[in-house]
Each structure stands twice: as structure tokens, then as C-alpha cells.
Amino acid sequence: WPDPEPCEGNCSFVHDPSLIRRPDGMWVRFSTLGNIAIATAPKLTGPWTYEGPMLPKGTSIMAVEGQQMWAPDVHLLGDTYYTYYAVSRSGVQTSDIGVATSKTCDINSWTDHGSIGVPKSSSYNLIDPNMYCECPTCDSHFTFGSGWEGIFETGLDKDFLSWKDEAPLQTIYNSTIPLGQDFPAIAEGAFLFGWKSYGVTFYYLFFSSGACCNAANALLTPGNEYKIMVCRARAPIGPFYDANGRNCLTQNGGTLVLSSHGTRVYAPGGQGVVFDPDANRVAMYYHYADPNIGYAYEDFFFGFNYIDFSHGWPVV
């Protein structure tokens, strides 16, 4: 795999990035912590400028003591920007998902609407939201989940602010128990992306698998750290299969897209996918650690690579 594309400016202390390009051509990046940190840049390569928090006073949701705001997911539907976010604390299942809206995508313009109302369950964790909608009047497909029984999908009401009262459906699960771990492999951070290959629209579900953020003295065996996987389907709801034809729900399926490599990139994940009109190419963005600098949370970087679908599957 190649190294990430160049990045100038505010490129560090970035986890779970989410990107959108405004009609004026400015890129806006949202990321975990800092009450959802917002940065802007004229190009994907930067220079990135930190602008401030999305919600300076935090969320109206109270999920758990010591909670933080994680894993934003931003979209423009009609004339309104929607950013979904998770509220939780590391290692617990006491979580919730909220949404905020803005007409401009600028700081100091966001209105918090609180929880979208997806019900709690012992089967999943309410984090890592991602909303996919092919048009402002189309049905939405809302994925979420981490650990426990994997990744789930449901729907939102037409206002995109609340749960559709549609029972969450399990879509991705890996029952494999990694060496040195007493629970199944983690699958999280799902991101649904529709793309036409060979004249057929496939729905690619990118997700992160493995451990995200272990300390330098507790790194997992190679291959069990964070990495980016993908499965695809003929419909947004699945069933999803990998490049070898394995079912990604019942057969531990998943095709590796990007993993640790070289001397600079460790545990890439927390990914999203976006079309870059400047390059006329599809970009996959993510966070990663540089072993030469360290594995501390604040040392994680924003990275992206262009991906190619010429063989029907994304290749970096």
C-alpha cells in the first residue's frame, strides 16, 4: 500500500474523521472529541485549519458519567447539514446517538436535537453512526455498532432527526476470537458507499476491524490491530459478501482494503469515503498512528488515499 497523500496544517489529534465539501469548494472535516472538532481546508491535502467545536456547550444527551462525543458523520440533504454523533465512554455499552443541524456548516451555527431515539439493546453498542441516503426524498439507511454482535442497520424518519421505529437488522459480524482476546473480533465504524461497477450499482460497506488505540506497551499481534475491511451488496440493506463470496454476517466475511504498512502507518481505521471533484477520483479517508511518533491518542493523524474500483472492488 502507498503512504497517505500529503497533509498540511491541522492533521494530527484526528480520530474518526468525517468529510464534506461545501458548494463553495471548501472541505469541512469533523472528528472525535473536542465536542466534535471542526476543521476546514481548500483541498483534501490542506492546509487544514482548526475552526472550533461543533457544539461548544456539548450535547443535550446524558448517556453515562464521563461521556465524550465521538465519531461524527456529516451530510448535506436539501439545504441542511446533518451531523450524527455518538455519546459514550470507552469500554462501556451505555451509549446513545444524537444529531445536530446547520444551514451553513460553520462553527456557531449548529443546533443540537439530542438523541435520535434508536432503542438500547444488549446486542449492540450505539456508537459509530453512518447515514446513507441516495436523495433527499429517498429512504435512509442508518448503520451503527461496535463490539458485542457487530454492526446493525435501521432507518430514520423523513426529517432525518429521529428513528423510524424500524427494528435494527444485524448486517456485519465476525465470531473469530483473536489470539490473546476472550471476545470476538471487533467490527465497527461502518460506512455505506454506493458506486457503479461494470454498469451495476454496488453498495460497499466499509468498516474497521480490530483494536484501535492500544498503548505502545500493549500492542496486539500484527494483523489484530485496526484495519479497514469492506463487503458489498446489490442493495443497501444487504446481504453483504466479500470478494471471496463469504457472507459478512454468517461466514466471518470481509475483504481487507488497508492495514498497517511500511514504517509510517499503523492501525488505519475510522474511515469514510468521498468523491473528490478536484481529482475526479474517490478518496478513502481515515485516522492512523505513526510508530515513529507514538501511539498516544493525541498522536493519531488524518490520512487519505485514492481508491480504484476498476476490478469491482476498492483497491488503494
Side-chain angles (χ1 to χ4, degrees), residues 24 86 93 135 158 209 295 297 308:
D24 63 3
Q93 198 180 13
C135 71
K158 290 298 183 180
S209 175
Y295 305 92
Y297 203 87
D308 175 67

Side-chain angles (χ1 to χ4, degrees), residues 249-266:
L249 175 60
T250 62
Q251 296 177 307
N252 299 331
T255 295
L256 182 64
V257 181
L258 185 68
S259 186
S260 303
H261 60 277
T263 60
R264 286 188 49 208
V265 178
Y266 179 81

Side-chain angles (χ1 to χ4, degrees), residues 43 95 97 100 129 215 229:
K43 296 182 179 180
S95 310
I97 293 172
M229 312 289 289

Side-chain angles (χ1 to χ4, degrees), residues 16 23 25 30 32 56 77-78 80 84 89 92 94 102 106 141 144 199 220 227 249 259 267 272 287 291 315:
D16 309 312
F30 297 71
T32 284
L77 294 165
T80 303
Y84 302 91
R89 194 182 74 230
V92 304
T94 312
S102 168
D106 295 326
H141 300 273
F144 63 90
L220 295 187
K227 52 193 172 294
L249 175 60
S259 186
H287 67 236
V315 177

